[in-house]
Amino acid sequence: METTLKKIIVQGGPFQFVGRLEEEKAPRTCQRFLEMLPFKSKVIHSRWSGEAVWIPLGDFDTGLDFENHTSHASRGDILLYPGGFSETEFLFVYGSSSFASKMGQLAGNHFFTLTEGHEHLAAFGKLVLWEGAQDIVFSLADA
């Protein structure tokens, strides 16, 4: 399956981002994510992870283990915590971040990296911080 040529569009509140899947480093996570598209939810500001927003998924069973996991993602990285210690969640990093929960340090599967829209990351994060939950949609770009 050749998904590396496919673009993923992220509409977060009024901002649009474009990104690529990290298929070589996290193939199972990327495949599972593609099965979820289009994915629509609300994004809220992180409580323990610094400059990041997150999408809580509760006890959703991804069927995944750790792959390409990190606690220290970069601006524009999106992680999937597959569940276990804490609830399943996506973490969308917009600045300095160290992935954590009330249970302590976490590591999530880095499976997605933004390639366009970095200039809107800080504004997006501040919007979620000061104005509350925002709609977020991940979808495959039209060919």
Side-chain angles (χ1 to χ4, degrees), residues 69-73 79 97-100 105-108:
H69 50 290
T70 184
S71 294
H72 304 285
L79 311 180
S97 178
S98 180
F99 194 15
Q105 193 77 24
L106 295 177

Side-chain angles (χ1 to χ4, degrees), residues 20-27 30 68 77 110-113:
R20 71 169 191 283
L21 297 172
E22 298 291 343
E23 292 183 284
E24 288 185 23
K25 297 176 182 174
C30 291
N68 196 37
D77 290 351
H110 174 210
F111 75 98
F112 187 86
T113 303

Side-chain angles (χ1 to χ4, degrees), residues 66-94:
F66 291 110
E67 63 177 359
N68 196 37
H69 50 290
T70 184
S71 294
H72 304 285
S74 298
R75 283 178 78 243
D77 290 351
I78 298 178
L79 311 180
L80 172 63
Y81 177 72
F85 224 27
S86 187
E87 70 181 288
T88 304
E89 67 184 86
F90 288 107
L91 187 76
F92 185 124
V93 178
Y94 71 85

Side-chain angles (χ1 to χ4, degrees), residues 1-4 6 8 20-39 60-65 67-68 78 80 90 109-112 138 140:
M1 181 168 107
E2 211 169 297
T3 55
T4 53
K6 295 178 183 174
I8 306 290
R20 71 169 191 283
L21 297 172
E22 298 291 343
E23 292 183 284
E24 288 185 23
K25 297 176 182 174
R28 294 183 316 275
T29 304
C30 291
Q31 180 58 44
R32 183 68 180 105
F33 181 70
L34 285 170
E35 293 167 2
M36 297 169 72
L37 296 180
F39 179 79
F60 177 71
D61 183 4
T62 63
L64 297 168
D65 291 318
E67 63 177 359
N68 196 37
I78 298 178
L80 172 63
F90 288 107
N109 297 349
H110 174 210
F111 75 98
F112 187 86
F138 294 82
L140 221 48

